[in-house]
Amino acid sequence: YMEQWFALYVQPRKEKLVEKELTKHSFVNYLPLKREVHKWSDRKKTVMCPLIPSYIFVKVKKEELYNVLQIVGAVRFIYFDKKPAPIPDKQIQDIKTFLENKVNITLEPMSFEKGDKVRIVDGRFKGAEGLIIVGKDNKKRFKIRISNLLMDLDIEFDEKEMENMQKIEEDDKNN
């Protein structure tokens, strides 16, 4: 098997620590960083922040994935169809090229389409599953079907609190 890039989810604010540990253990990795100006009441400071918070890209063979998860701060890989989802080399290279050329990049979560099956991943309703519907006001809404009651709950939610279940499958064994 050849080495491929995978997206590794890490503990929040631990990206640089995990990057050091991965490098120490000879895992090829890439933590895309962007320049940000942080302002305090008395000063400004330019700091290098992760482009994609809580994610590091790791280039390994599939059989090495488990070893990567032993690194302190590593949480899980991104899954698609119940398998770790490889990321094409070209996409990693594109990110590097954009950052090297100081392109201004803003991160936007993938938006959901009507009919997408989603799971709430944050907040008090974490774990709830449902469908995206479009309401009369054209806002995307979240619908939970309670099949035994033959009823739908129609709820407005922030898309940042959801993940698309068809696109992202968590590795339940590593949680």
Side-chain angles (χ1 to χ4, degrees):
Y1 291 109
M2 54 185 240
E3 289 186 338
Q4 293 176 295
W5 287 104
F6 294 93
L8 175 65
Y9 179 76
V10 302
Q11 292 172 354
R13 302 186 178 280
K14 296 277 196 308
E15 301 91 349
K16 290 178 183 177
L17 174 85
V18 174
E19 178 193 33
K20 265 195 199 102
E21 286 298 305
L22 287 165
T23 302
K24 194 167 91 180
H25 288 84
S26 304
F27 290 114
V28 175
N29 66 83
Y30 174 52
L31 173 59
L33 297 171
K34 65 177 177 180
R35 199 174 304 277
E36 279 184 5
V37 177
H38 287 211
K39 294 174 189 158
W40 288 271
S41 57
D42 58 336
R43 62 196 163 99
K44 283 183 186 179
K45 187 178 177 187
T46 301
V47 289
M48 297 304 284
C49 297
L51 175 66
I52 309 168
S54 295
Y55 285 94
I56 294 182
F57 298 106
V58 185
K59 191 171 190 171
V60 292
K61 294 178 179 152
K62 276 197 175 137
E63 54 269 21
E64 295 175 306
L65 292 172
Y66 177 79
N67 296 338
V68 171
L69 290 173
Q70 305 316 302
I71 299 286
V72 175
V75 178
R76 66 175 181 265
F77 286 96
I78 296 303
Y79 274 64
F80 178 73
D81 265 350
K82 297 183 172 45
K83 291 190 290 278
I87 294 167
D89 286 1
K90 169 103 176 75
Q91 289 179 8
I92 299 294
Q93 193 50 56
D94 288 346
I95 293 170
K96 288 180 179 182
T97 302
F98 293 140
L99 288 172
E100 283 162 11
N101 289 286
K102 296 179 175 47
V103 171
N104 188 21
I105 301 174
T106 52
L107 199 64
E108 289 188 3
M110 216 162 70
S111 67
F112 300 106
E113 302 298 319
K114 182 178 176 178
D116 282 354
K117 189 174 182 197
V118 296
R119 177 185 299 127
I120 306 292
V121 292
D122 207 12
R124 294 179 302 175
F125 306 105
K126 186 175 179 173
E129 296 177 4
L131 292 173
I132 293 295
I133 58 169
V134 177
K136 292 182 192 85
D137 54 4
N138 239 359
K139 281 190 177 158
K140 291 193 180 107
R141 299 172 69 84
F142 177 78
K143 183 184 276 191
I144 299 176
R145 178 155 287 164
I146 303 171
S147 50
N148 292 350
L149 293 177
L150 302 174
M151 210 175 275
D152 287 339
L153 302 180
D154 180 356
I155 308 158
E156 200 164 310
F157 262 99
D158 188 336
E159 287 192 17
K160 290 196 250 352
E161 296 177 348
M162 297 180 205
E163 70 179 1
N164 189 321
M165 291 173 61
Q166 282 131 340
K167 295 188 176 75
I168 300 172
E169 288 282 342
E170 286 185 20
D171 177 13
D172 296 326
K173 292 186 292 284
N174 292 313
N175 283 340

